[in-house]
Amino acid sequence: MNVTLRQLDYLVAVAEHGTVTAAAQALHLSQSTVSSAIADLERVLKINLFVRHARGLSLTRDGQMVLAEARRLLREVSSLERRVAGLSGELAGELHIGCYSTIAPLLLPAIVTEFMLHYPAVDVNFSEGSQHALLEQMEQGRSDVAVMYAYRFRNHLTDLGHTATKLTAVPPYVLLHPEHSLAQADTVALRELADEPYILFDLEPGGQYFLSVFDAEGVTPNIRFRTPNSELVRCLVARGAGYSLLSQRPKTTVSYEGLPYVAKELTVKHEGLDVVAVTPGDRMPSKRVATFIEMAVRLLRPEVLR
């Protein structure tokens, strides 16, 4: 087989731009050069990578698999080039971290800056999203590791072919307006709030998890608003629009608008959400990924998210 890195590079460009023409323009090459390289790659691999249609190209199922491997190989080659260029034995290459949106502000600033300080030859990047989006991104080879809550995936990550390393666990807590009648209580029971307007944090799998907390106490919440934005949740609570539940806990109890809210423990102690680092189970994590996970275990202590 004579697969070349150039062909893989062109494959990634066509997949990301959707057409050979757009990919050729981005690569500053002729359309025929890119088209021929893709055709040669399909001939060598003996599969169809793309479905051609009027709007451009779409990856086949085989093409999606090859694309994920192409991205991984190109990252590894980039890492090799960096290591050879330095010949210092230091950690080098690219590291792309996918992180659940509400964990990201509490984890990424600390770990990205520390990683850059200790391993300046590593090109660290990150992206945020829902659990489903992060897994999809990792499976497509666009990220090396995904940090997320393990709710509904605790026993299924292996079935999906992935490996999960537990970093920490965080329990839910209640957010109340400062003038709420329970704002001075030591703990709050959900049954005391059942009739009040509830603001549901609904970024998958957050919504399912928080509703399961109500189910565990036999309470049906009076859902007034749903939002995938945790900052909006805090703003609405601070404005007196209702109460809410969250897991991630900033150091301050002030909303984006500068208005205060109150954070209270639940009377019933619920199992905390596991925060895990997920890696593809079909290959050993690179040294960069292993080092990141080790650093995350150290930095992502329970009090960091609390």
Side-chain angles (χ1 to χ4, degrees), residues 5 19-20 56 71 79 81 96 119 132 135 149-150 160 167 179 181 192 224 241 260 271 281:
L5 294 175
T19 68
V20 171
R71 284 175 168 145
S79 173
E81 290 173 341
H96 191 107
Y119 309 105
H132 175 77
L135 288 174
Y149 290 117
L160 292 169
L167 305 178
E179 296 181 6
S181 59
E192 300 176 280
R224 179 63 182 86
E271 183 180 0

Side-chain angles (χ1 to χ4, degrees), residues 19-303:
T19 68
V20 171
T21 301
Q25 290 174 347
L27 294 167
H28 305 290
L29 297 169
S30 68
Q31 183 175 336
S32 60
T33 298
V34 177
S35 183
S36 296
I38 297 299
D40 289 342
L41 183 58
E42 289 181 317
R43 184 172 61 255
V44 170
L45 296 176
K46 298 180 180 179
I47 59 174
N48 291 321
L49 297 170
F50 292 97
V51 175
R52 279 76 175 171
H53 50 74
R55 296 186 304 278
L57 302 174
S58 298
L59 284 165
T60 62
R61 186 179 296 274
D62 288 337
Q64 292 173 354
M65 181 274 294
V66 174
L67 175 64
E69 287 301 308
R71 284 175 168 145
R72 181 182 66 83
L73 286 169
L74 290 170
R75 283 201 304 274
E76 292 303 320
V77 169
S78 174
S79 173
L80 174 62
E81 290 173 341
R82 288 170 182 262
R83 287 198 297 269
V84 171
L87 290 178
S88 59
E90 66 178 337
L91 210 60
E94 295 183 7
L95 174 65
H96 191 107
I97 307 158
C99 195
Y100 188 72
S101 293
T102 58
I103 300 175
L106 302 171
L107 168 69
L108 290 182
I111 199 165
V112 167
T113 53
E114 182 153 337
F115 213 101
M116 291 170 62
L117 177 65
H118 287 86
Y119 309 105
V122 177
D123 182 14
V124 183
N125 287 290
F126 57 83
S127 55
E128 305 169 57
S130 68
Q131 187 164 270
H132 175 77
L134 294 176
L135 288 174
E136 184 178 69
Q137 175 179 275
M138 187 183 67
E139 290 164 355
Q140 292 175 352
R142 291 185 285 123
S143 67
D144 302 295
V145 58
V147 178
M148 63 180 68
Y149 290 117
Y151 180 67
R152 294 270 173 100
F153 278 92
R154 183 176 291 109
N155 301 318
H156 302 298
L157 283 166
T158 344
D159 296 338
L160 292 169
H162 303 316
T163 302
T165 303
K166 181 177 176 179
L167 305 178
T168 188
V170 286
Y173 65 97
V174 181
L175 290 78
L176 300 172
H177 188 272
E179 296 181 6
H180 193 280
S181 59
L182 297 174
Q184 302 304 317
D186 292 331
T187 62
V188 175
L190 290 180
R191 65 178 180 275
E192 300 176 280
L193 300 168
D195 296 330
E196 299 185 23
Y198 174 59
I199 303 159
L200 175 65
F201 173 69
D202 203 17
L203 180 67
E204 176 262 345
Q208 301 96 307
Y209 168 72
F210 290 120
L211 291 179
S212 76
V213 172
F214 283 94
D215 287 342
E217 294 196 26
V219 176
T220 301
N222 175 23
I223 300 175
R224 179 63 182 86
F225 297 111
R226 297 173 181 259
T227 174
N229 188 322
S230 59
E231 286 301 329
L232 181 53
V233 168
R234 295 186 182 93
C235 287
L236 288 169
V237 171
R239 285 276 183 177
Y243 73 99
S244 188
L245 299 183
L246 288 177
S247 291
Q248 73 291 341
R249 188 178 298 193
K251 297 294 185 183
T252 61
T253 51
V254 177
S255 75
Y256 193 80
E257 298 179 299
L259 299 175
Y261 62 88
V262 174
K264 290 292 177 180
E265 303 295 337
L266 286 166
T267 302
V268 177
K269 302 304 178 185
H270 293 270
E271 183 180 0
L273 273 172
D274 283 350
V275 178
V276 294
V278 184
T279 54
D282 58 352
R283 57 180 179 267
M284 288 291 292
S286 67
K287 188 176 180 181
R288 297 182 301 280
V289 173
T291 303
F292 163 79
I293 292 175
E294 291 171 6
M295 187 175 289
V297 169
R298 177 165 51 84
L299 290 177
L300 196 56
R301 301 180 302 277
E303 59 268 27

